[in-house]
Amino acid sequence: MSQGTETGRSDGARGDAAATPAAGVNFIRTIIESELAVDKFVQRRWSGRPGPGAQQLAGALDPARIRTRFPPEPNGYLHFGHAKSICLNFGLAQDYGGRCHLRFDDTNPEKEEQEYVDSIVDAVRWLGFSWQVDALDDTPGETNLYFASDYFAWMVAFAEHLIASGNAYVDSQSADEMRATRGTLTEPGQDSPFRTRSVEENMDLFKRMQRGEFADGTHVLRAKIDMASANINLRDPAIYRIRHASHHNTGERWCVYPMYTYAHPIEDALENITHSICTLEFADQRPFYDWLLERLAEGGLLQRPLPQQIEFSRLNLTYIVLSKRKLIQLVDEGHVGGWDDPRLPTLVGARRRGYPAEGFRLFAERVGVSRSESLIDYSLLEDCMREVLNASAERRVAVLDPLRLIIDNYPADAGEACSAPNHPQRPDLGTRALPFGRELWIEREDFMLQPSKGYHRLYPGNTVRLRYAYVVRCTSVELDADGAPSVVHCEYFPDSKSGTAGADAYKVKGNVHWVAVAGACAAEVRLYDRLFSVPSPGARRADDAPGSERDFRADLNPESRRVVHAQLEPALRTAQPEDRFQFERHGYFVADRVDSQPGAPVFNRTVTLRDSWAEKAAKAGNVAQAEKTAKAKVEKAAKTGAGG
Ligand code: ATP
Ligand code: MG
């Protein structure tokens, strides 16, 4: 596995990295453009033999478009990897005036749940995509939301066609016997004794399987291809099995269910999908995908051009795990607060964390699409989020670790407003009033009793500017019983107010933010950080005992969630759930969409202003890691044309 970012500019399969076409170009686009250039899809028209209860399927009316699909199995919450696939499939459809279907691959009766269907629908919408064709478009009202289980009647009819044409047979060996005769990577498999059954016998048995006459596991329907094939997936794969199970959509209607590898190509074909884009682990299945659709097309059940499967490398990210099994473990064992915990790489988690959907779209574009395996640095994702938030989030002031400051020469009963811009680069967003007074909250780290070298903030005798307000000098400090500062005393210079003529006469090195005690909004703020403290959770380390397995849970970052009681400027009291801000000097924050109450927001830190992990990695002597982060930044700067 290569480290570093994929540039998204080369077809990894051909390795032509030297060419640098325009950003956004990738091997899938190259394929699509060459096909559109020869009107490949103009001839495409549905002409399948309608099965019982079948309705007209997508694409019948507008054959010239590309159609992609995102086909989740509704058995879990979507994660960042799925976001890559969603952005790719919906993005291609958008860019080429095509369609992208949201299809629930719910062919397995035992695992699927409505809760997951709902959360997937929400997540795709939240990412900014739709399966609903715009009413202004030429096919108003077209809704491309599908359930694979709606095609069960077609799948059975197609299976009977395969039997009738001598391309499928009922095998009555046990599962163990089938496994034993399957062969290995180096040895061919052996033919089943049932492989030579007549068409009539196969048809009779398959009908009886459908009628529920046999117990689970007693027979399976297998494609009849080649038990000696070098590709194990072509050694007579199972296509239908008996399962006396109730299905969330079709109830008790069926007691035979199709295997995924059989169902998926048929789903694609019925929906007139042109490009069936999936991750690389399906590459070995492609010959079966093509074999099946060819047999059905030969029989006149499908019309050409047939859908084509195209594989790309899945998203892998440092400092996180994307395996469903591991995510379930983290939730079930209580290492996180639930599927929407802001530290999890689920899309519900990301939303709660405050990651903007636009940040995911930008990230998907930056990582690109290729066929080479790679591990993407988590910093690249964070940089995309920062970039979007920097442009859009209004600035506010928050004191996360409050220490009281009293301006002894400021009148006790007085107060005034200071003006602060809502966004330094966007004057159109206006300014707001920050109430100022005699007593303020400042950050504890902005005061030191004994300043270290180069420290320019508050210490006895030193002068700093209170941002957007006055210059003050520290006159004394009160200490608590433990010797820690409890109140900092200052005097202020009345002619030094920011924005007035006198302000320029004061030259100070420190600039400190503050919130007036009167009117401050006390709030819970959660400081989230990476869930794991190492780039590859669970990877063995040099100091692990030889031969030992490392548990990924041992790499959880104990500092991934810290709760503080902060003092916020009054304007934040009315923040609505999911409102995002930059808290000056601290990072980007979002009002939690679950725990915020009217007038009492709770904030989550989305991401810090700068990448502290690159520094940590460098300090730990992990030079490679730091270089990688730096390289990603340079690439990013080159792509965006940003100065740095
Ligand atoms: P399972 O192990 O249950 O199959 P899955 O993560 O593959 O889990 P699916 O619901 O089958 O879940 O995935 C839907 C789509 O998302 C598939 O097309 C799959 O290829 C794609 N996908 C899943 N994980 C990633 C990933 N890490 N990067 C890119 N695409 C992914
Ligand atoms: Mg899958």
Side-chain angles (χ1 to χ4, degrees), residues 496-547:
S496 65
K497 192 172 182 182
S498 295
T500 65
D504 291 344
Y506 292 83
K507 300 289 176 226
V508 293
K509 285 190 172 163
N511 196 319
V512 166
H513 71 269
W514 52 272
V515 167
V517 170
C521 171
E524 176 178 320
V525 175
R526 295 137 182 192
L527 303 177
Y528 289 110
D529 204 344
R530 295 182 183 176
L531 185 54
F532 292 93
S533 48
V534 299
S536 300
R540 278 177 43 76
R541 299 194 199 165
D543 54 353
D544 284 340

Side-chain angles (χ1 to χ4, degrees), residues 469-635:
Y470 296 95
V471 170
V472 294
R473 181 164 62 213
C474 178
T475 50
S476 66
V477 60
E478 294 175 35
L479 304 180
D480 65 16
D482 300 326
S486 57
V487 181
V488 175
H489 288 271
C490 288
E491 61 177 357
Y492 87 119
F493 303 95
D495 59 347
S496 65
K497 192 172 182 182
S498 295
T500 65
D504 291 344
Y506 292 83
K507 300 289 176 226
V508 293
K509 285 190 172 163
N511 196 319
V512 166
H513 71 269
W514 52 272
V515 167
V517 170
C521 171
E524 176 178 320
V525 175
R526 295 137 182 192
L527 303 177
Y528 289 110
D529 204 344
R530 295 182 183 176
L531 185 54
F532 292 93
S533 48
V534 299
S536 300
R540 278 177 43 76
R541 299 194 199 165
D543 54 353
D544 284 340
S548 66
E549 285 269 324
R550 190 175 172 81
D551 188 332
F552 76 105
R553 293 167 299 180
D555 293 326
L556 282 163
N557 174 9
E559 309 260 287
S560 64
R561 181 181 195 266
R562 211 149 54 79
V563 177
V564 297
H565 297 281
Q567 297 289 344
L568 316 177
E569 67 165 280
L572 286 168
R573 188 169 278 120
T574 53
Q576 299 300 303
E578 297 203 81
D579 278 355
R580 299 187 181 97
F581 301 97
Q582 183 194 102
F583 290 175
E584 292 191 15
R585 296 173 66 202
H586 288 305
Y588 297 96
F589 291 74
V590 66
D592 189 86
R593 61 194 287 252
V594 177
D595 297 327
S596 293
Q597 299 293 322
V602 169
F603 282 94
N604 299 331
R605 181 169 70 196
T606 307
V607 63
T608 52
L609 289 180
R610 274 173 298 278
D611 181 4
S612 59
W613 284 83
E615 286 162 35
K616 271 184 221 173
K619 267 191 204 141
N622 189 345
V623 178
Q625 177 68 25
E627 276 174 358
K628 195 148 60 77
T629 306
K631 185 172 151 251
K633 291 229 167 96
V634 170
E635 269 172 16

Side-chain angles (χ1 to χ4, degrees), residues 40-266:
K40 178 170 175 186
F41 307 113
V42 171
Q43 297 307 315
R44 189 184 193 84
R45 200 171 294 273
W46 169 249
S47 71
R49 183 180 63 190
Q55 66 275 65
Q56 182 156 50
L57 294 175
L61 302 173
D62 55 342
R65 300 179 192 283
I66 70 152
R67 277 179 190 271
T68 55
R69 85 285 174 268
F70 174 65
E73 194 180 346
N75 65 353
Y77 286 86
L78 299 185
H79 56 60
F80 294 3
H82 296 119
K84 175 175 177 176
S85 179
I86 293 168
C87 291
L88 173 63
N89 281 294
F90 280 91
L92 286 170
Q94 242 165 30
D95 291 353
Y96 292 104
R99 301 282 185 258
C100 182
H101 297 188
L102 175 59
R103 179 204 308 145
F104 288 100
D105 213 322
D106 59 349
T107 50
N108 187 339
E110 277 129 357
K111 290 195 298 185
E112 290 114 12
E113 282 177 37
Q114 188 62 36
E115 175 193 351
Y116 297 128
V117 171
D118 296 342
S119 86
I120 291 169
V121 161
D122 275 356
V124 176
R125 279 213 186 99
W126 176 74
L127 277 175
F129 297 108
S130 179
W131 48 90
Q132 198 91 38
V133 176
D134 196 289
L136 293 175
D137 198 283
D138 51 354
T139 54
E142 186 182 330
T143 298
N144 291 309
L145 175 67
Y146 301 97
F147 288 84
S149 57
D150 286 337
Y151 312 144
F152 283 158
W154 299 66
M155 291 173 188
V156 163
F158 287 3
E160 289 176 357
H161 169 79
L162 292 179
I163 293 173
S165 56
N167 287 304
Y169 63 99
V170 173
D171 195 350
S172 307
Q173 295 184 103
S174 69
D176 284 341
E177 285 167 331
M178 273 187 258
R179 212 170 296 121
T181 53
R182 204 167 166 236
T184 64
L185 284 175
T186 49
E187 286 165 33
Q190 296 149 35
D191 285 3
S192 162
F194 302 100
R195 200 174 193 265
T196 49
R197 274 176 168 153
S198 68
V199 167
E200 292 69 32
E201 189 183 1
N202 283 319
M203 195 66 88
D204 175 63
L205 284 170
F206 187 52
K207 296 269 190 206
R208 291 168 62 198
M209 283 168 67
Q210 293 175 53
R211 286 199 295 269
E213 291 183 19
F214 305 119
D216 288 6
T218 49
H219 307 276
V220 286
L221 184 67
R222 297 178 75 172
K224 194 171 186 174
I225 310 178
D226 179 7
M227 286 306 290
S229 173
N231 182 342
I232 291 187
N233 299 293
L234 292 180
R235 294 181 190 166
D236 293 5
I239 60 180
Y240 256 99
R241 62 197 169 131
I242 303 170
R243 270 283 178 290
H244 291 269
S246 171
H247 185 279
H248 80 108
N249 181 24
T250 57
E252 313 298 321
R253 168 73 184 80
W254 302 99
C255 46
V256 290
Y257 288 94
M259 304 300 288
Y260 175 85
T261 47
Y262 171 78
H264 201 86
I266 293 177

